[in-house]
Amino acid sequence: MLESLEKMLAQGMDNALLRFGLGKGYLDAGEFARAAEHFQRCVEHDPAYSAAWKLLGKACLELGDRQGAEQAWQQGIAAAQGHGDKQAEKEMTVFLKRLQRQAPQD
């Protein structure tokens, strides 16, 4: 699946949905840096894409970027509130609170 999505991207089909699919595929494959890159591009295309903000936060956290995760979830909560996505808002609020309770791991 990733191969065909990458092919579409190479052919110039760059949009939020394609970037989300690539990000999700790389996240599932454990390629967190590539996932974060695609989720970042996804939210550049569509800043209201709350699911992309949620998974961008997860990718950042996997990369050890706590600040990036926190920022992604804060923006994701705002995006979710903006279009009434209560479930995404609730999930990211929980992730954010959990992150803020944890001491930074140095």
Side-chain angles (χ1 to χ4, degrees), residues 19-63:
R19 291 293 186 156
F20 183 82
L22 283 163
K24 178 83 170 86
Y26 284 119
L27 185 67
D28 292 346
E31 294 187 44
F32 305 119
R34 290 183 86 176
E37 177 187 327
H38 287 295
F39 288 130
Q40 186 62 52
R41 294 298 303 274
C42 177
V43 296
E44 287 169 12
H45 282 290
D46 182 0
Y49 206 141
S50 52
W53 285 114
K54 179 176 80 170
L55 296 182
L56 174 58
K58 285 189 171 199
C60 288
L61 195 58
E62 290 289 348
L63 290 167

Side-chain angles (χ1 to χ4, degrees), residues 79-91:
Q81 289 170 337
H83 59 88
D85 188 350
K86 295 289 185 198
Q87 183 60 36
E89 178 188 346
K90 213 180 291 184
E91 288 176 28

